[in-house]
């Protein structure tokens, strides 16, 4: 699904490429049986989310080319939002 969304965006307009990128992953999940036990950062497929835009929005997922954050919240329906922007280091 991530790869398809990137391809769709690429057809509509040119995609930005960052020398250093910041990837923000926001996961909303509904409350329910066992969801409180399953919401663990390593169970959210963070590696899959980062590997899909690698090579398109930024060169590599090493410390020289990107940084990321993961935020979780409870909600009515499940969704994942991925934001990619220029990483500004202070």
């Amino acid at each position: 699904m991530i790869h398809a969304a990137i391809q769709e965006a690429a057809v509509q307009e040119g995609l930005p490429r960052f020398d250093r990128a910041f990837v923000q992953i926001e996961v909303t999940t509904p409350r329910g049986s066992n969801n409180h036990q399953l919401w663990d950062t390593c169970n959210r497929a963070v590696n899959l989310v980062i590997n899909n835009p690698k090579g398109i929005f930024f060169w590599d997922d090493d410390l020289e080319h990107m940084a990321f954050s993961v935020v979780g919240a409870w909600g009515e329906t499940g969704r994942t939002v991925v934001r990619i922007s220029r990483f500004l280091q202070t």
Side-chain angles (χ1 to χ4, degrees), residues 15-32:
L15 296 175
R17 187 165 187 109
F18 304 102
D19 290 329
R20 297 198 70 197
F22 181 69
V23 180
Q24 179 187 18
I25 305 166
E26 178 184 328
V27 179
T28 303
T29 189
R31 289 192 187 271

Side-chain angles (χ1 to χ4, degrees), residues 58-69:
F58 47 92
W59 293 107
D60 200 358
D61 58 354
D62 60 16
L63 64 88
E64 292 183 15
H65 295 99
M66 65 84 69
F68 74 96
S69 70

Side-chain angles (χ1 to χ4, degrees), residues 4-57:
I6 292 170
Q7 282 184 323
E8 184 178 321
V11 170
Q12 294 174 12
E13 59 186 65
L15 296 175
R17 187 165 187 109
F18 304 102
D19 290 329
R20 297 198 70 197
F22 181 69
V23 180
Q24 179 187 18
I25 305 166
E26 178 184 328
V27 179
T28 303
T29 189
R31 289 192 187 271
S33 62
N34 295 330
N35 277 350
H36 67 284
Q37 295 173 353
L38 296 176
W39 214 109
D40 183 347
T41 302
C42 66
N43 291 336
R44 297 291 98 190
V46 171
N47 193 38
L48 175 68
V49 173
I50 291 172
N51 280 335
N52 269 280
K54 179 176 74 174
I56 298 169
F57 293 97

